[in-house]
Amino acid sequence: MMKIKEFLQYSAATTKLDFLIIISSFIVSGIIFTILKNQNAVIYSLSIAFAMMILLKLMKFKKNNKQMK
């Protein structure tokens, strides 16, 4: 439970690479869902971009915890 609380309170600066990864995941997933003729392509693309933001934050959080030990 403590790890989840620490993760939610953890704040890291967004780098240009992070921004590029999030935007490219949104664009690529949008293109794929549009090709598949999915009616909810925008919603799914936003969900994938949001998941990428959480994943990047988790990776930075784990890296920061390893450095502190």
Side-chain angles (χ1 to χ4, degrees), residues 31-68:
I31 290 170
I32 291 171
F33 287 126
T34 303
I35 289 172
L36 295 175
K37 296 187 181 358
N38 193 318
Q39 297 295 324
N40 298 323
V42 174
I43 295 170
Y44 293 149
S45 297
L46 285 173
S47 301
I48 289 172
F50 185 69
M52 287 300 295
M53 289 178 4
I54 294 173
L55 183 65
L56 288 170
K57 181 178 177 179
L58 181 63
M59 289 170 42
K60 287 181 179 182
F61 177 72
K62 286 187 174 185
K63 183 180 178 183
N64 188 30
N65 275 353
K66 284 183 182 179
Q67 290 177 353
M68 292 185 75

Side-chain angles (χ1 to χ4, degrees), residues 2-55:
M2 190 62 174
K3 290 270 187 189
I4 294 173
K5 189 174 182 180
E6 289 175 15
F7 174 71
L8 292 175
Q9 292 176 346
Y10 179 72
S11 174
T14 303
T15 63
K16 290 180 183 176
L17 180 62
D18 296 342
F19 186 69
L20 183 66
I21 291 171
I22 293 166
I23 295 298
S24 63
S25 69
F26 174 72
I27 292 171
V28 169
S29 61
I31 290 170
I32 291 171
F33 287 126
T34 303
I35 289 172
L36 295 175
K37 296 187 181 358
N38 193 318
Q39 297 295 324
N40 298 323
V42 174
I43 295 170
Y44 293 149
S45 297
L46 285 173
S47 301
I48 289 172
F50 185 69
M52 287 300 295
M53 289 178 4
I54 294 173
L55 183 65

